[in-house]
């Protein structure tokens, strides 16, 4: 009489360790984006360029102002109402390009290499990837920009000491202007990330960034004067400049209004990137 032996699981199966229950969390996505950002050589190079532009052009502007004062040469329009604060922020326009371009590279670079497929496979919900990229790079750009403008001001205030442009940190509006410039550069970095995700092209993102910050204001200046007064203050570059300008007039926004307008531009760019990320394939 034959009997059927019961099926038994192999001993190796019983001894196999259970798989760890790793999950996708916001903190882990942030750490992942932090590691990817600093693993790129372009990050170190471009951040160094941004810091160099802030300090170097600030020093050049201060030395130019000092030389004109000591030599008695007439001041041109750029130096007529200059202060230590405005001189130290002279390199902001150049630094914004470096940080904004790096933001585009951080986001669009994954699309050009195809790495974005692995990223979205690991984070299926997708939007945490965008928020993490924006937070990580925005914080890095904010720190670099703030450190650069403070360093430039400390040195420039010594260079122009004893002139009508002399200022110290305790003067009204100085600290606000320096932090405003750092915040502006941080938000420019976030816009760069949003454009990289929205357009998925390094060249396209950089083109739109440069056009928004530099070309469009020039085109608006060709409009009739009444139109300029209604449009120009709300452009991204002019609203951002209001965040760190010491003196304001009727044709410019206040620092608070400039911050609100520039944040609206930033949120709009992020919203467009979020819609494209969710609705389109990688």
């Amino acid at each position: 009489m034959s009997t059927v032996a019961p099926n038994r699981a192999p001993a190796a199966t019983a001894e196999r360790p259970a798989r760890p229950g790793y999950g996708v969390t916001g903190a882990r996505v942030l750490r992942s984006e932090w590691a990817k950002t600093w693993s790129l050589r372009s990050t170190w190079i471009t951040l160094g360029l941004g810091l160099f532009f802030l300090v170097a052009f600030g020093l050049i502007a201060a030395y130019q102002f000092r030389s004109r004062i000591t030599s008695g040469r007439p001041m041109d329009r750029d130096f007529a109402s200059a202060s230590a604060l405005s001189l130290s922020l002279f390199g902001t326009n150049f630094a914004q390009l470096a940080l904004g371009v790096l933001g585009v590279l951080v986001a669009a670079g994954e699309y050009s290499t195809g790495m974005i497929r692995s990223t979205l496979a690991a984070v299926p919900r997708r939007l945490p990837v965008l928020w993490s990229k924006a937070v990580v790079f925005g914080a890095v750009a904010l720190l670099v920009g703030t450190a650069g403008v403070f360093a430039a001001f400390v040195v420039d205030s010594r260079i122009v000491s004893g002139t009508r442009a002399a200022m110290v940190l305790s003067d009204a509006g100085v600290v606000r202007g320096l932090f405003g410039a750092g915040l502006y550069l941080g938000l420019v970095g976030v816009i760069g990330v949003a454009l990289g995700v929205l357009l998925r092209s390094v060249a396209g993102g950089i083109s739109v960034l440069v056009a928004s910050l530099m070309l469009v204001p020039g085109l608006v200046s060709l409009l009739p004067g009444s139109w300029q007064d209604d449009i120009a203050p709300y452009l991204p570059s002019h609203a951002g400049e209001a965040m760190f300008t010491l003196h304001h007039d009727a044709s410019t926004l206040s620092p608070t209004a400039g911050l609100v307008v520039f944040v609206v531009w930033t949120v709009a760019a992020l919203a467009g990137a979020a819609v494209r990320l969710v609705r389109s394939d990688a």
Side-chain angles (χ1 to χ4, degrees), residues 237-249:
S237 57
H238 290 177
E241 185 178 353
M243 294 167 57
F244 54 82
T245 301
L246 190 61
H247 301 291
H248 302 269
D249 53 36

Side-chain angles (χ1 to χ4, degrees), residues 62-86:
Y63 276 115
Q64 281 286 334
F65 180 86
R66 184 79 187 192
S67 65
R68 290 173 183 270
I69 288 289
T70 55
S71 64
R73 288 184 293 169
M75 292 286 183
D76 56 22
R77 186 176 61 181
D78 293 334
F79 294 106
S81 58
S83 64
L85 177 63
S86 63

Side-chain angles (χ1 to χ4, degrees), residues 127 130-131 194-195 197-200 265-280:
L127 285 183
L130 174 61
W131 309 143
L195 290 177
V197 174
L198 177 62
L199 300 176
R200 302 184 176 186
W265 281 108
T266 305
V267 171
L270 286 173
V275 172
R276 179 74 190 279
L277 184 62
V278 171
R279 295 188 176 183
S280 301

